[in-house]
């Protein structure tokens, strides 16, 4: 599923990275604890989280995540978006709660990677 | 690569938002050196957890990263409070981090276990009241 398709099914907004919209992903990890993301993300290349601070982008960078999806209407500040731009990590924001966002993506064929 | 390369970083203990900059720099350098992506990932995760720990618990410190033909060695040294019980600290879920740190997404008691999980060798030398030095190696 491409980042564009994820954006559409989640009614999400691109905060950065429309030019990355054609990147394809199969595996997704979701958590608010970044240590859990670091421990268990495995081969996932998309991160769904409701945590909103610069360490989310740093964590994504360490794991070669290509897209961060913020749930529950969380909006990263300009500092976080600048970090994401510097690392070419697409950033989406959706109003859906985490459970719902995960369910929608699962229904559309994405899976957890661990 | 025949000679050993070493990079040294000073970690600022005051600014949580900048934690991870050293790990990010090392990740980029290893990529440029042509190190395998699997090894880079292990180094990046382990060093990043260590860097975060230094900021959370020890008011910063220094990190030396050496790259040889055989391995990548990371030495993280701080002058923090030391670790009273290493066995406990190595248990997943055991944490002494403040609530404020947890709200930032860390302090879930996964830091040291993650550092061990993603490295091939890890040694902790700690003295209460004086500081902690953690040496980690990832084999190439």
């Amino acid at each position: 599923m491409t980042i564009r398709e994820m954006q559409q099914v989640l009614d999400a907004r691109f905060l950065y990275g429309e030019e990355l919209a054609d990147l394809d992903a199969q595996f997704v990890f979701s958590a608010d604890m970044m240590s859990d993301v670091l421990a268990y993300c495995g081969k996932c290349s998309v991160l769904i989280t409701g945590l909103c601070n610069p360490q989310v982008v740093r964590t994504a960078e360490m794991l070669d995540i290509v897209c961060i999806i913020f749930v529950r209407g969380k909006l990263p500040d300009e500092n976080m978006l600048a970090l994401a731009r510097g690392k070419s990590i697409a950033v989406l924001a959706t109003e859906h709660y985490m459970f719902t966002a995960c369910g929608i993506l699962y229904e559309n064929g994405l899976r957890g990677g661990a | 690569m025949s000679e050993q390369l070493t990079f040294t970083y000073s970690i600022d203990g005051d600014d949580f938002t900048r934690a991870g900059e050293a790990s990010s720099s090392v990740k980029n350098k290893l990529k440029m050196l042509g190190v395998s992506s699997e090894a880079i990932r292990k180094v990046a995760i382990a060093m990043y957890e260590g860097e975060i720990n230094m900021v959370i618990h020890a008011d910063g410190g220094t990190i030396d990263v050496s790259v040889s033909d055989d391995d990548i060695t990371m030495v993280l040294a701080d002058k923090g409070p030391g670790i009273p019980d290493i066995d406990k600290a190595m248990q997943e879920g055991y944490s002494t981090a403040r609530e404020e740190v947890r709200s930032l997404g860390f302090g879930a008691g996964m830091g040291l276990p993650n550092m061990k999980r993603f490295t091939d060798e890890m040694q902790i030398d700690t003295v209460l009241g004086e500081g902690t030095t953690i040496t980690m190696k990832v084999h190439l």
Side-chain angles (χ1 to χ4, degrees), chain B residues 1-7 29-30 32-35 66-72 140:
Chain B
M1 194 182 346
S2 53
E3 58 185 287
Q4 183 166 295
L5 289 170
T6 304
F7 313 111
K29 287 192 164 103
L30 296 180
M32 281 192 281
L33 289 169
V35 173
S66 318
V67 186
S68 74
D69 286 338
D70 301 321
D71 51 47
I72 296 167
L140 295 175

mmCIF file with all atom_site columns, all heavy atoms in Angstrom, chain B residues 1-7 29-30 32-35 66-72 140:
data_model
loop_
_atom_site.group_PDB
_atom_site.id
_atom_site.type_symbol
_atom_site.label_atom_id
_atom_site.label_alt_id
_atom_site.label_comp_id
_atom_site.label_asym_id
_atom_site.label_entity_id
_atom_site.label_seq_id
_atom_site.pdbx_PDB_ins_code
_atom_site.Cartn_x
_atom_site.Cartn_y
_atom_site.Cartn_z
_atom_site.occupancy
_atom_site.B_iso_or_equiv
_atom_site.pdbx_formal_charge
_atom_site.auth_seq_id
_atom_site.auth_comp_id
_atom_site.auth_asym_id
_atom_site.auth_atom_id
_atom_site.pdbx_PDB_model_num
ATOM 1   N N   . MET B 1 1   ? 38.886 -0.779 4.566  1.00 0.00 ? 1   MET B N   1
ATOM 2   C CA  . MET B 1 1   ? 39.279 0.085  5.675  1.00 0.00 ? 1   MET B CA  1
ATOM 3   C C   . MET B 1 1   ? 40.351 -0.615 6.514  1.00 0.00 ? 1   MET B C   1
ATOM 4   O O   . MET B 1 1   ? 40.101 -1.650 7.113  1.00 0.00 ? 1   MET B O   1
ATOM 5   C CB  . MET B 1 1   ? 38.029 0.298  6.522  1.00 0.00 ? 1   MET B CB  1
ATOM 6   C CG  . MET B 1 1   ? 38.149 1.387  7.497  1.00 0.00 ? 1   MET B CG  1
ATOM 7   S SD  . MET B 1 1   ? 36.669 1.565  8.531  1.00 0.00 ? 1   MET B SD  1
ATOM 8   C CE  . MET B 1 1   ? 35.394 0.597  7.702  1.00 0.00 ? 1   MET B CE  1
ATOM 9   N N   . SER B 1 2   ? 41.569 -0.079 6.563  1.00 0.00 ? 2   SER B N   1
ATOM 10  C CA  . SER B 1 2   ? 42.595 -0.783 7.314  1.00 0.00 ? 2   SER B CA  1
ATOM 11  C C   . SER B 1 2   ? 42.873 -0.119 8.662  1.00 0.00 ? 2   SER B C   1
ATOM 12  O O   . SER B 1 2   ? 43.202 -0.792 9.625  1.00 0.00 ? 2   SER B O   1
ATOM 13  C CB  . SER B 1 2   ? 43.877 -0.869 6.496  1.00 0.00 ? 2   SER B CB  1
ATOM 14  O OG  . SER B 1 2   ? 44.223 0.421  6.065  1.00 0.00 ? 2   SER B OG  1
ATOM 15  N N   . GLU B 1 3   ? 42.734 1.210  8.736  1.00 0.00 ? 3   GLU B N   1
ATOM 16  C CA  . GLU B 1 3   ? 42.973 1.819  10.041 1.00 0.00 ? 3   GLU B CA  1
ATOM 17  C C   . GLU B 1 3   ? 41.659 2.090  10.747 1.00 0.00 ? 3   GLU B C   1
ATOM 18  O O   . GLU B 1 3   ? 40.608 2.186  10.127 1.00 0.00 ? 3   GLU B O   1
ATOM 19  C CB  . GLU B 1 3   ? 43.776 3.111  9.879  1.00 0.00 ? 3   GLU B CB  1
ATOM 20  C CG  . GLU B 1 3   ? 43.106 4.123  8.978  1.00 0.00 ? 3   GLU B CG  1
ATOM 21  C CD  . GLU B 1 3   ? 44.011 5.328  8.756  1.00 0.00 ? 3   GLU B CD  1
ATOM 22  O OE1 . GLU B 1 3   ? 44.143 6.092  9.709  1.00 0.00 ? 3   GLU B OE1 1
ATOM 23  O OE2 . GLU B 1 3   ? 44.563 5.483  7.652  1.00 0.00 ? 3   GLU B OE2 1
ATOM 24  N N   . GLN B 1 4   ? 41.769 2.228  12.075 1.00 0.00 ? 4   GLN B N   1
ATOM 25  C CA  . GLN B 1 4   ? 40.569 2.442  12.863 1.00 0.00 ? 4   GLN B CA  1
ATOM 26  C C   . GLN B 1 4   ? 40.158 3.914  12.850 1.00 0.00 ? 4   GLN B C   1
ATOM 27  O O   . GLN B 1 4   ? 40.991 4.786  12.992 1.00 0.00 ? 4   GLN B O   1
ATOM 28  C CB  . GLN B 1 4   ? 40.853 1.991  14.288 1.00 0.00 ? 4   GLN B CB  1
ATOM 29  C CG  . GLN B 1 4   ? 39.668 2.093  15.195 1.00 0.00 ? 4   GLN B CG  1
ATOM 30  C CD  . GLN B 1 4   ? 39.889 1.329  16.466 1.00 0.00 ? 4   GLN B CD  1
ATOM 31  O OE1 . GLN B 1 4   ? 40.008 0.116  16.469 1.00 0.00 ? 4   GLN B OE1 1
ATOM 32  N NE2 . GLN B 1 4   ? 39.949 2.053  17.556 1.00 0.00 ? 4   GLN B NE2 1
ATOM 33  N N   . LEU B 1 5   ? 38.866 4.142  12.658 1.00 0.00 ? 5   LEU B N   1
ATOM 34  C CA  . LEU B 1 5   ? 38.339 5.511  12.696 1.00 0.00 ? 5   LEU B CA  1
ATOM 35  C C   . LEU B 1 5   ? 37.619 5.721  14.017 1.00 0.00 ? 5   LEU B C   1
ATOM 36  O O   . LEU B 1 5   ? 36.921 4.821  14.486 1.00 0.00 ? 5   LEU B O   1
ATOM 37  C CB  . LEU B 1 5   ? 37.324 5.710  11.572 1.00 0.00 ? 5   LEU B CB  1
ATOM 38  C CG  . LEU B 1 5   ? 37.829 5.778  10.142 1.00 0.00 ? 5   LEU B CG  1
ATOM 39  C CD1 . LEU B 1 5   ? 36.638 5.736  9.198  1.00 0.00 ? 5   LEU B CD1 1
ATOM 40  C CD2 . LEU B 1 5   ? 38.625 7.049  9.935  1.00 0.00 ? 5   LEU B CD2 1
ATOM 41  N N   . THR B 1 6   ? 37.793 6.894  14.600 1.00 0.00 ? 6   THR B N   1
ATOM 42  C CA  . THR B 1 6   ? 37.106 7.171  15.868 1.00 0.00 ? 6   THR B CA  1
ATOM 43  C C   . THR B 1 6   ? 36.372 8.504  15.802 1.00 0.00 ? 6   THR B C   1
ATOM 44  O O   . THR B 1 6   ? 36.910 9.479  15.269 1.00 0.00 ? 6   THR B O   1
ATOM 45  C CB  . THR B 1 6   ? 38.112 7.201  17.039 1.00 0.00 ? 6   THR B CB  1
ATOM 46  O OG1 . THR B 1 6   ? 38.816 5.973  17.074 1.00 0.00 ? 6   THR B OG1 1
ATOM 47  C CG2 . THR B 1 6   ? 37.398 7.389  18.370 1.00 0.00 ? 6   THR B CG2 1
ATOM 48  N N   . PHE B 1 7   ? 35.162 8.511  16.286 1.00 0.00 ? 7   PHE B N   1
ATOM 49  C CA  . PHE B 1 7   ? 34.371 9.748  16.373 1.00 0.00 ? 7   PHE B CA  1
ATOM 50  C C   . PHE B 1 7   ? 34.018 9.980  17.837 1.00 0.00 ? 7   PHE B C   1
ATOM 51  O O   . PHE B 1 7   ? 33.647 9.037  18.535 1.00 0.00 ? 7   PHE B O   1
ATOM 52  C CB  . PHE B 1 7   ? 33.064 9.623  15.576 1.00 0.00 ? 7   PHE B CB  1
ATOM 53  C CG  . PHE B 1 7   ? 33.244 9.066  14.195 1.00 0.00 ? 7   PHE B CG  1
ATOM 54  C CD1 . PHE B 1 7   ? 32.761 7.806  13.880 1.00 0.00 ? 7   PHE B CD1 1
ATOM 55  C CD2 . PHE B 1 7   ? 33.900 9.794  13.215 1.00 0.00 ? 7   PHE B CD2 1
ATOM 56  C CE1 . PHE B 1 7   ? 32.920 7.278  12.602 1.00 0.00 ? 7   PHE B CE1 1
ATOM 57  C CE2 . PHE B 1 7   ? 34.067 9.275  11.937 1.00 0.00 ? 7   PHE B CE2 1
ATOM 58  C CZ  . PHE B 1 7   ? 33.575 8.014  11.632 1.00 0.00 ? 7   PHE B CZ  1
ATOM 59  N N   . LYS B 1 29  ? 27.511 8.639  9.088  1.00 0.00 ? 29  LYS B N   1
ATOM 60  C CA  . LYS B 1 29  ? 28.926 8.343  8.815  1.00 0.00 ? 29  LYS B CA  1
ATOM 61  C C   . LYS B 1 29  ? 29.113 6.877  8.421  1.00 0.00 ? 29  LYS B C   1
ATOM 62  O O   . LYS B 1 29  ? 29.865 6.557  7.487  1.00 0.00 ? 29  LYS B O   1
ATOM 63  C CB  . LYS B 1 29  ? 29.781 8.667  10.044 1.00 0.00 ? 29  LYS B CB  1
ATOM 64  C CG  . LYS B 1 29  ? 29.946 10.164 10.263 1.00 0.00 ? 29  LYS B CG  1
ATOM 65  C CD  . LYS B 1 29  ? 31.026 10.448 11.283 1.00 0.00 ? 29  LYS B CD  1
ATOM 66  C CE  . LYS B 1 29  ? 31.461 11.891 11.211 1.00 0.00 ? 29  LYS B CE  1
ATOM 67  N NZ  . LYS B 1 29  ? 30.934 12.735 12.274 1.00 0.00 ? 29  LYS B NZ  1
ATOM 68  N N   . LEU B 1 30  ? 28.426 5.987  9.130  1.00 0.00 ? 30  LEU B N   1
ATOM 69  C CA  . LEU B 1 30  ? 28.569 4.554  8.827  1.00 0.00 ? 30  LEU B CA  1
ATOM 70  C C   . LEU B 1 30  ? 28.034 4.247  7.437  1.00 0.00 ? 30  LEU B C   1
ATOM 71  O O   . LEU B 1 30  ? 28.567 3.403  6.713  1.00 0.00 ? 30  LEU B O   1
ATOM 72  C CB  . LEU B 1 30  ? 27.843 3.704  9.882  1.00 0.00 ? 30  LEU B CB  1
ATOM 73  C CG  . LEU B 1 30  ? 28.397 3.794  11.314 1.00 0.00 ? 30  LEU B CG  1
ATOM 74  C CD1 . LEU B 1 30  ? 27.592 2.901  12.245 1.00 0.00 ? 30  LEU B CD1 1
ATOM 75  C CD2 . LEU B 1 30  ? 29.872 3.403  11.368 1.00 0.00 ? 30  LEU B CD2 1
ATOM 76  N N   . MET B 1 32  ? 28.086 6.300  4.929  1.00 0.00 ? 32  MET B N   1
ATOM 77  C CA  . MET B 1 32  ? 29.101 6.772  3.967  1.00 0.00 ? 32  MET B CA  1
ATOM 78  C C   . MET B 1 32  ? 30.297 5.831  3.897  1.00 0.00 ? 32  MET B C   1
ATOM 79  O O   . MET B 1 32  ? 30.940 5.722  2.873  1.00 0.00 ? 32  MET B O   1
ATOM 80  C CB  . MET B 1 32  ? 29.566 8.188  4.348  1.00 0.00 ? 32  MET B CB  1
ATOM 81  C CG  . MET B 1 32  ? 28.586 9.256  3.925  1.00 0.00 ? 32  MET B CG  1
ATOM 82  S SD  . MET B 1 32  ? 29.282 10.896 4.062  1.00 0.00 ? 32  MET B SD  1
ATOM 83  C CE  . MET B 1 32  ? 29.153 11.211 5.793  1.00 0.00 ? 32  MET B CE  1
ATOM 84  N N   . LEU B 1 33  ? 30.577 5.153  5.021  1.00 0.00 ? 33  LEU B N   1
ATOM 85  C CA  . LEU B 1 33  ? 31.704 4.215  5.037  1.00 0.00 ? 33  LEU B CA  1
ATOM 86  C C   . LEU B 1 33  ? 31.352 2.878  4.389  1.00 0.00 ? 33  LEU B C   1
ATOM 87  O O   . LEU B 1 33  ? 32.195 2.005  4.252  1.00 0.00 ? 33  LEU B O   1
ATOM 88  C CB  . LEU B 1 33  ? 32.160 3.960  6.483  1.00 0.00 ? 33  LEU B CB  1
ATOM 89  C CG  . LEU B 1 33  ? 32.873 5.119  7.179  1.00 0.00 ? 33  LEU B CG  1
ATOM 90  C CD1 . LEU B 1 33  ? 33.028 4.833  8.675  1.00 0.00 ? 33  LEU B CD1 1
ATOM 91  C CD2 . LEU B 1 33  ? 34.244 5.361  6.547  1.00 0.00 ? 33  LEU B CD2 1
ATOM 92  N N   . GLY B 1 34  ? 30.081 2.711  4.029  1.00 0.00 ? 34  GLY B N   1
ATOM 93  C CA  . GLY B 1 34  ? 29.674 1.482  3.354  1.00 0.00 ? 34  GLY B CA  1
ATOM 94  C C   . GLY B 1 34  ? 29.413 0.320  4.288  1.00 0.00 ? 34  GLY B C   1
ATOM 95  O O   . GLY B 1 34  ? 29.417 -0.847 3.872  1.00 0.00 ? 34  GLY B O   1
ATOM 96  N N   . VAL B 1 35  ? 29.180 0.609  5.571  1.00 0.00 ? 35  VAL B N   1
ATOM 97  C CA  . VAL B 1 35  ? 28.855 -0.455 6.538  1.00 0.00 ? 35  VAL B CA  1
ATOM 98  C C   . VAL B 1 35  ? 27.473 -1.031 6.187  1.00 0.00 ? 35  VAL B C   1
ATOM 99  O O   . VAL B 1 35  ? 26.599 -0.310 5.688  1.00 0.00 ? 35  VAL B O   1
ATOM 100 C CB  . VAL B 1 35  ? 28.858 0.136  7.972  1.00 0.00 ? 35  VAL B CB  1
ATOM 101 C CG1 . VAL B 1 35  ? 28.359 -0.872 8.988  1.00 0.00 ? 35  VAL B CG1 1
ATOM 102 C CG2 . VAL B 1 35  ? 30.254 0.628  8.338  1.00 0.00 ? 35  VAL B CG2 1
ATOM 103 N N   . SER B 1 66  ? 34.263 3.814  17.604 1.00 0.00 ? 66  SER B N   1
ATOM 104 C CA  . SER B 1 66  ? 35.414 3.408  16.785 1.00 0.00 ? 66  SER B CA  1
ATOM 105 C C   . SER B 1 66  ? 34.967 2.372  15.772 1.00 0.00 ? 66  SER B C   1
ATOM 106 O O   . SER B 1 66  ? 34.203 1.459  16.097 1.00 0.00 ? 66  SER B O   1
ATOM 107 C CB  . SER B 1 66  ? 36.511 2.772  17.637 1.00 0.00 ? 66  SER B CB  1
ATOM 108 O OG  . SER B 1 66  ? 36.667 3.486  18.815 1.00 0.00 ? 66  SER B OG  1
ATOM 109 N N   . VAL B 1 67  ? 35.458 2.536  14.565 1.00 0.00 ? 67  VAL B N   1
ATOM 110 C CA  . VAL B 1 67  ? 35.094 1.602  13.494 1.00 0.00 ? 67  VAL B CA  1
ATOM 111 C C   . VAL B 1 67  ? 36.360 0.911  13.009 1.00 0.00 ? 67  VAL B C   1
ATOM 112 O O   . VAL B 1 67  ? 37.319 1.582  12.604 1.00 0.00 ? 67  VAL B O   1
ATOM 113 C CB  . VAL B 1 67  ? 34.453 2.360  12.310 1.00 0.00 ? 67  VAL B CB  1
ATOM 114 C CG1 . VAL B 1 67  ? 33.947 1.378  11.265 1.00 0.00 ? 67  VAL B CG1 1
ATOM 115 C CG2 . VAL B 1 67  ? 33.324 3.257  12.782 1.00 0.00 ? 67  VAL B CG2 1
ATOM 116 N N   . SER B 1 68  ? 36.387 -0.406 13.101 1.00 0.00 ? 68  SER B N   1
ATOM 117 C CA  . SER B 1 68  ? 37.524 -1.163 12.554 1.00 0.00 ? 68  SER B CA  1
ATOM 118 C C   . SER B 1 68  ? 36.992 -2.137 11.511 1.00 0.00 ? 68  SER B C   1
ATOM 119 O O   . SER B 1 68  ? 35.796 -2.159 11.224 1.00 0.00 ? 68  SER B O   1
ATOM 120 C CB  . SER B 1 68  ? 38.241 -1.917 13.681 1.00 0.00 ? 68  SER B CB  1
ATOM 121 O OG  . SER B 1 68  ? 37.446 -3.014 14.072 1.00 0.00 ? 68  SER B OG  1
ATOM 122 N N   . ASP B 1 69  ? 37.861 -2.949 10.971 1.00 0.00 ? 69  ASP B N   1
ATOM 123 C CA  . ASP B 1 69  ? 37.407 -3.932 9.984  1.00 0.00 ? 69  ASP B CA  1
ATOM 124 C C   . ASP B 1 69  ? 36.481 -4.974 10.607 1.00 0.00 ? 69  ASP B C   1
ATOM 125 O O   . ASP B 1 69  ? 35.630 -5.545 9.931  1.00 0.00 ? 69  ASP B O   1
ATOM 126 C CB  . ASP B 1 69  ? 38.615 -4.654 9.370  1.00 0.00 ? 69  ASP B CB  1
ATOM 127 C CG  . ASP B 1 69  ? 39.356 -3.744 8.404  1.00 0.00 ? 69  ASP B CG  1
ATOM 128 O OD1 . ASP B 1 69  ? 38.732 -2.785 7.907  1.00 0.00 ? 69  ASP B OD1 1
ATOM 129 O OD2 . ASP B 1 69  ? 40.555 -3.988 8.162  1.00 0.00 ? 69  ASP B OD2 1
ATOM 130 N N   . ASP B 1 70  ? 36.679 -5.230 11.914 1.00 0.00 ? 70  ASP B N   1
ATOM 131 C CA  . ASP B 1 70  ? 35.961 -6.336 12.552 1.00 0.00 ? 70  ASP B CA  1
ATOM 132 C C   . ASP B 1 70  ? 34.701 -5.920 13.309 1.00 0.00 ? 70  ASP B C   1
ATOM 133 O O   . ASP B 1 70  ? 33.778 -6.705 13.458 1.00 0.00 ? 70  ASP B O   1
ATOM 134 C CB  . ASP B 1 70  ? 36.886 -7.055 13.549 1.00 0.00 ? 70  ASP B CB  1
ATOM 135 C CG  . ASP B 1 70  ? 38.115 -7.603 12.856 1.00 0.00 ? 70  ASP B CG  1
ATOM 136 O OD1 . ASP B 1 70  ? 37.962 -8.096 11.726 1.00 0.00 ? 70  ASP B OD1 1
ATOM 137 O OD2 . ASP B 1 70  ? 39.208 -7.509 13.439 1.00 0.00 ? 70  ASP B OD2 1
ATOM 138 N N   . ASP B 1 71  ? 34.726 -4.693 13.842 1.00 0.00 ? 71  ASP B N   1
ATOM 139 C CA  . ASP B 1 71  ? 33.556 -4.323 14.645 1.00 0.00 ? 71  ASP B CA  1
ATOM 140 C C   . ASP B 1 71  ? 33.420 -2.815 14.799 1.00 0.00 ? 71  ASP B C   1
ATOM 141 O O   . ASP B 1 71  ? 34.322 -2.061 14.440 1.00 0.00 ? 71  ASP B O   1
ATOM 142 C CB  . ASP B 1 71  ? 33.599 -4.993 16.033 1.00 0.00 ? 71  ASP B CB  1
ATOM 143 C CG  . ASP B 1 71  ? 34.910 -4.778 16.734 1.00 0.00 ? 71  ASP B CG  1
ATOM 144 O OD1 . ASP B 1 71  ? 35.384 -3.631 16.755 1.00 0.00 ? 71  ASP B OD1 1
ATOM 145 O OD2 . ASP B 1 71  ? 35.479 -5.765 17.253 1.00 0.00 ? 71  ASP B OD2 1
ATOM 146 N N   . ILE B 1 72  ? 32.292 -2.430 15.347 1.00 0.00 ? 72  ILE B N   1
ATOM 147 C CA  . ILE B 1 72  ? 32.051 -1.035 15.722 1.00 0.00 ? 72  ILE B CA  1
ATOM 148 C C   . ILE B 1 72  ? 31.914 -1.020 17.240 1.00 0.00 ? 72  ILE B C   1
ATOM 149 O O   . ILE B 1 72  ? 31.111 -1.785 17.801 1.00 0.00 ? 72  ILE B O   1
ATOM 150 C CB  . ILE B 1 72  ? 30.777 -0.497 15.055 1.00 0.00 ? 72  ILE B CB  1
ATOM 151 C CG1 . ILE B 1 72  ? 30.975 -0.490 13.536 1.00 0.00 ? 72  ILE B CG1 1
ATOM 152 C CG2 . ILE B 1 72  ? 30.445 0.908  15.558 1.00 0.00 ? 72  ILE B CG2 1
ATOM 153 C CD1 . ILE B 1 72  ? 29.718 -0.274 12.752 1.00 0.00 ? 72  ILE B CD1 1
ATOM 154 N N   . LEU B 1 140 ? 31.167 -6.892 12.656 1.00 0.00 ? 140 LEU B N   1
ATOM 155 C CA  . LEU B 1 140 ? 30.919 -6.662 11.222 1.00 0.00 ? 140 LEU B CA  1
ATOM 156 C C   . LEU B 1 140 ? 31.161 -7.960 10.453 1.00 0.00 ? 140 LEU B C   1
ATOM 157 O O   . LEU B 1 140 ? 31.880 -8.825 10.872 1.00 0.00 ? 140 LEU B O   1
ATOM 158 C CB  . LEU B 1 140 ? 31.825 -5.557 10.697 1.00 0.00 ? 140 LEU B CB  1
ATOM 159 C CG  . LEU B 1 140 ? 31.562 -4.166 11.305 1.00 0.00 ? 140 LEU B CG  1
ATOM 160 C CD1 . LEU B 1 140 ? 32.587 -3.172 10.806 1.00 0.00 ? 140 LEU B CD1 1
ATOM 161 C CD2 . LEU B 1 140 ? 30.161 -3.692 10.949 1.00 0.00 ? 140 LEU B CD2 1
#
